[in-house]
Amino acid sequence: TIHYLRVVFTSGSKQFVVGLARSLEQLGFVQRRKIYHSSRAWQLHLSTQESMALYKKMYTKENSQLCLQRKKVVFENYLALKD
């Protein structure tokens, strides 16, 4: 059983990740999130609820151009196993 789903955005640029977090927050997809830093990259982690909200927005017919097929499959597998 899968218990959670997490979307993680990773970049070598802190400015990009901070800007992405700010944009997602303004659009209502995420609450203020902590930006994580490893030795080589910056990351923004989304909760399961935030990930599902983003999935519903990105993978609708009107937004099909935003679709990353390999990522869509991960979401669909999560939804199938969750039920």
Side-chain angles (χ1 to χ4, degrees), residues 5-81:
L5 176 73
R6 177 178 292 168
V7 168
V8 179
F9 292 98
T10 303
S11 174
S13 167
K14 179 181 181 182
Q15 182 179 359
F16 174 80
V17 175
V18 168
L20 177 62
R22 188 174 297 125
S23 294
L24 291 173
E25 184 179 7
Q26 290 171 348
L27 291 169
F29 289 111
V30 300
Q31 297 177 0
R32 196 60 166 149
R33 306 301 296 173
K34 180 178 177 185
I35 306 296
Y36 296 92
H37 182 251
S38 67
S39 61
R40 296 175 50 174
W42 296 89
Q43 294 185 329
L44 171 64
H45 295 212
L46 275 58
S47 69
T48 298
Q49 183 178 359
E50 293 165 339
S51 298
M52 290 309 302
L54 189 61
Y55 165 78
K56 289 175 184 174
K57 182 64 175 177
M58 287 183 68
Y59 294 99
T60 59
K61 288 187 180 197
E62 59 268 9
N63 289 322
S64 62
Q65 296 153 337
L66 294 174
C67 178
L68 298 170
Q69 190 61 37
R70 64 188 173 87
K71 300 295 185 180
K72 183 178 180 184
V73 169
V74 172
F75 280 106
E76 290 172 348
N77 288 340
Y78 169 77
L79 292 170
L81 292 172

